[in-house]
Amino acid sequence: MRLLFAALALAVPLTAAAAPVACPDATTVKQVNACPSMEELKYTFDGYCGDNARLYNPTDTTCESFENYRKLKDIALWESADGEFANYLSCDMAASAMAEARPVKISVSQKKGLTLLRCDYSNGTYFVHRTRATCTVPAEGACPADGPCVAQCE
């Protein structure tokens, strides 16, 4: 019986240590999947924006033109080098434009039991880290100009 209690005591940590989670360096983020071809976009435009689409949401402007639809759907998944942060970014953005960006803000929110840690960049893009851990960010969420943008997660 004592052996069982000893094993349980070792299995349960006494305190949860806060670990730093830094916004990814923009020079290391990579496009993970390919952008859709123009043929794929035209094919899905016809299916998505059929005559009935306007009946479901008349205020949605996505189907007003192919260009509106393309802006919404011509995207590809990008990830940080470690795969912890991700987002879908426009295929119009050059990789060099992402590499030149720097983190400017970090914020945290909750959604359906998940913590969303969001890093905003100077070029208007952002990357999100999803975790079940509790995270805190510095006051105001502003990133230092000369150092990493870091949150503490437990």
Side-chain angles (χ1 to χ4, degrees):
M1 187 61 107
R2 287 184 187 170
L3 207 55
L4 177 62
F5 287 121
L8 287 174
L10 290 175
V12 178
L14 296 176
T15 59
V21 177
C23 290
D25 180 353
T27 61
T28 65
V29 297
K30 300 287 183 226
Q31 185 175 333
V32 177
N33 63 345
C35 292
S37 68
M38 194 57 69
E39 291 78 27
E40 289 173 317
L41 287 170
K42 288 178 182 177
Y43 178 79
T44 56
F45 172 74
D46 290 340
Y48 183 82
C49 294
D51 291 334
N52 292 337
R54 288 182 290 274
L55 299 175
Y56 296 112
N57 190 357
T59 60
D60 185 7
T61 61
T62 302
C63 293
E64 284 183 0
S65 69
F66 177 72
E67 189 57 34
N68 286 2
Y69 178 80
R70 192 188 74 75
K71 284 179 186 176
L72 180 70
K73 298 293 185 174
D74 193 16
I75 56 176
L77 179 64
W78 285 60
E79 286 183 349
S80 59
D82 61 6
E84 294 292 319
F85 285 83
N87 193 15
Y88 287 90
L89 301 180
S90 171
C91 289
D92 291 338
M93 185 185 67
S96 59
M98 189 64 226
E100 294 170 1
R102 65 173 192 79
V104 293
K105 183 180 177 187
I106 189 168
S107 58
V108 65
S109 63
Q110 298 287 322
K111 185 175 182 180
K112 296 184 180 179
L114 285 176
T115 298
L116 305 177
L117 188 60
R118 177 177 162 149
C119 296
D120 290 277
Y121 288 81
S122 57
N123 63 355
T125 62
Y126 64 90
F127 283 84
V128 176
H129 171 66
R130 291 165 176 79
T131 182
R132 294 222 179 264
T134 302
C135 299
T136 57
V137 297
E140 308 281 326
C143 297
D146 60 346
C149 198
V150 179
Q152 296 294 323
C153 297
E154 334 185 323

